[in-house]
Amino acid sequence: MAASGYSDLREKLKSMTPHRDEHKNKSGDRTSDGSGRRGRKRKQRDSDSDDYDHSDDSSESREREARRVQSSIQQRSIFTPEECRHIEDKIDEVVANAESGLYREHTVDRAPLRNKYFFGEGYTYGAQLEKRGPGQERLYRKGQVDDIPHWVHELVIKRLVSSGVIPEGFVNSAVINDYQPGGCIVSHVDPLHIFARPIVSVSFFSDSALCFGCRFQFKPIRVSEPVYVLPVRRGSVTVLSGYAADDITHCIRPQDIKQRRAVIILRKTRPDAPRLDSDSSPPERPVPLKAKRSHRRADPDAAHRPRVLEMDKEENRRPSQWRPPRHSSENYRRSSHDSDKRRESPRRKVKIRRH
């Protein structure tokens, strides 16, 4: 009876306190994790998996975009090391000529750790624009940049024509970008209204990389993960067209310029490309005002003539005898008289009245 009563009582207590089993199950979950956050971590892991699925979608779209970029790029190794050295010597001559001031005003464009040399055609971009944004670039007036050097035609362009990279007479614009270690060029698309396609570039001095789909941030400079990275070897020729040239930005990151690197960019300007002297061009920035100069002609004999001052003229001369200054002011005489009187009069006695 007692055993039966004990059994019934235990079952009764168990039926009256169902939360004990739930608490036991929860404590069991806590002990299996050791932190009491098993359920929360599992939920977080589920949300992470959702994010992971989303990142899968994002990575798949980036991979598709990377394939589109890759399919619209052609790259060939054409120039031998000996040919590269010969062309690199010519690039050094361009730098020396620029340092000596032998080029026209808009041929040379200097930037930190990167210099640009425009030949044939040059155009406004970046901070030179009156209005920022794509479509605002303008070609310079004819004759404001130097002609394409003869060695570029003989050593580079003719070699590309003979190799079938570009047709005869395609190039009328050549730009040399000279990068120092850590130099870069921000993400951009070569202006569609300025240049026809393809965009052809030849690399010299060292290996580097061309990145697509990056975003730049500054102070300090930071670059987002690229959609596609194209290794660029010394002496290689890179041809951009289609998606890679028109629908995605390309750039040179600072971390990809470990040694000096130069690239010769060969392009053809569109016949309807706007120029600064056309009606559609933005107004030029005002030139800072300079100090005015006298337009009177200098007398070559003026320096040898005796200089006559105003005080030396006959009508302005005065006797050299010194005279004390006169003070005709009545206030001055009154004030001086009062001061003399104060000095002569004895000090007044002040009586103190007591209350």
Side-chain angles (χ1 to χ4, degrees):
M1 183 70 178
S4 173
Y6 177 78
S7 176
D8 294 340
L9 181 61
R10 184 175 62 185
E11 293 177 359
K12 184 176 181 180
L13 291 175
K14 184 176 180 181
S15 63
M16 291 175 63
T17 57
H19 61 279
R20 288 178 180 268
D21 294 337
E22 295 177 3
H23 181 72
K24 185 176 182 181
N25 292 336
K26 290 182 180 180
S27 63
D29 291 341
R30 181 180 294 109
T31 54
S32 64
D33 182 284
S35 63
R37 300 176 183 175
R38 176 87 176 182
R40 183 177 300 176
K41 281 197 171 183
R42 181 178 298 142
K43 185 177 181 180
Q44 183 69 27
R45 189 175 291 113
D46 292 341
S47 64
D48 291 344
S49 65
D50 295 339
D51 293 341
Y52 182 76
D53 294 340
H54 180 71
S55 64
D56 276 347
D57 295 338
S58 176
S59 63
E60 288 179 1
S61 64
R62 288 171 67 88
E63 288 178 1
R64 288 195 299 268
E65 192 172 18
R67 287 194 294 269
R68 296 184 68 181
V69 173
Q70 187 178 16
S71 64
S72 53
I73 296 175
Q74 295 180 5
Q75 197 172 48
R76 296 173 60 182
S77 294
I78 293 179
F79 297 92
T80 65
E82 292 76 14
E83 291 173 330
C84 286
R85 280 193 292 270
H86 188 26
I87 295 173
E88 288 161 3
D89 290 339
K90 294 297 183 180
I91 294 175
D92 286 336
E93 291 180 8
V94 169
V95 175
N97 292 337
E99 294 294 331
S100 301
L102 301 181
Y103 290 132
R104 298 170 187 172
E105 178 184 1
H106 295 295
T107 297
V108 184
D109 180 33
R110 302 186 185 278
L113 302 179
R114 189 203 78 231
N115 291 338
K116 295 176 75 74
Y117 305 94
F118 292 98
F119 297 104
E121 294 283 4
Y123 68 100
T124 60
Y125 70 100
Q128 303 168 358
L129 299 177
E130 184 70 22
K131 295 180 181 179
R132 298 294 183 90
Q136 298 298 323
E137 299 87 354
R138 297 291 185 271
L139 290 173
Y140 286 119
R141 297 178 180 89
K142 284 287 188 179
Q144 288 192 324
V145 302
D146 285 80
D147 296 332
I148 298 177
H150 180 71
W151 64 265
V152 175
H153 284 287
E154 295 297 322
L155 302 180
V156 182
I157 297 177
K158 282 188 175 181
R159 185 66 185 279
L160 297 181
V161 171
S162 63
S163 301
V165 177
I166 53 177
E168 182 83 31
F170 176 79
V171 176
N172 68 345
S173 171
V175 179
I176 300 176
N177 286 343
D178 188 13
Y179 297 91
Q180 299 301 318
C184 68
I185 187 167
V186 297
S187 297
H188 67 283
V189 173
D190 291 36
L192 291 164
H193 64 291
I194 297 289
F195 296 108
R197 271 39 180 173
I199 309 297
V200 181
S201 61
V202 191
S203 297
F204 297 100
F205 286 109
S206 65
D207 299 341
S208 183
L210 186 64
C211 294
F212 294 83
C214 293
R215 293 187 301 274
F216 273 67
Q217 294 181 349
F218 300 92
K219 296 182 180 181
I221 187 169
R222 301 181 301 279
V223 186
S224 66
E225 189 70 20
V227 171
Y228 183 73
V229 179
L230 177 69
V232 180
R233 308 297 181 189
R234 178 191 180 207
S236 65
V237 179
T238 303
V239 182
L240 303 183
S241 60
Y243 191 86
D246 301 340
D247 299 307
I248 190 171
T249 60
H250 59 272
C251 68
I252 302 290
R253 299 181 299 180
Q255 58 265 38
D256 294 326
I257 306 293
K258 298 178 175 60
Q259 303 176 34
R260 182 191 176 188
R261 184 219 178 198
V263 57
I264 301 178
I265 304 172
L266 304 171
R267 292 176 290 200
K268 179 181 180 62
T269 59
R270 297 184 181 275
D272 58 347
R275 292 188 181 274
L276 286 179
D277 55 359
S278 64
D279 296 335
S280 61
S281 63
E284 292 187 0
R285 295 188 176 184
V287 179
L289 296 178
K290 297 182 180 180
K292 293 184 178 180
R293 297 181 179 179
S294 175
H295 295 284
R296 293 185 301 175
R297 293 184 179 181
D299 189 352
D301 299 329
H304 304 286
R305 295 173 184 170
R307 189 176 180 186
V308 180
L309 303 178
E310 289 293 326
M311 61 178 295
D312 294 333
K313 293 181 180 180
E314 187 66 29
E315 63 270 17
N316 295 331
R317 290 184 180 178
R318 293 290 184 270
S320 60
Q321 185 178 1
W322 179 84
R323 293 179 182 180
R326 290 185 178 184
H327 300 280
S328 59
S329 174
E330 187 67 26
N331 294 333
Y332 178 80
R333 290 198 299 269
R334 186 182 295 112
S335 62
S336 61
H337 177 72
D338 293 341
S339 62
D340 295 341
K341 190 174 181 181
R342 281 195 301 270
R343 284 195 298 269
E344 294 175 357
S345 62
R347 183 178 299 177
R348 293 189 305 168
K349 296 181 180 180
V350 181
K351 293 183 179 181
I352 301 177
R353 297 178 63 182
R354 297 181 179 178
H355 297 281

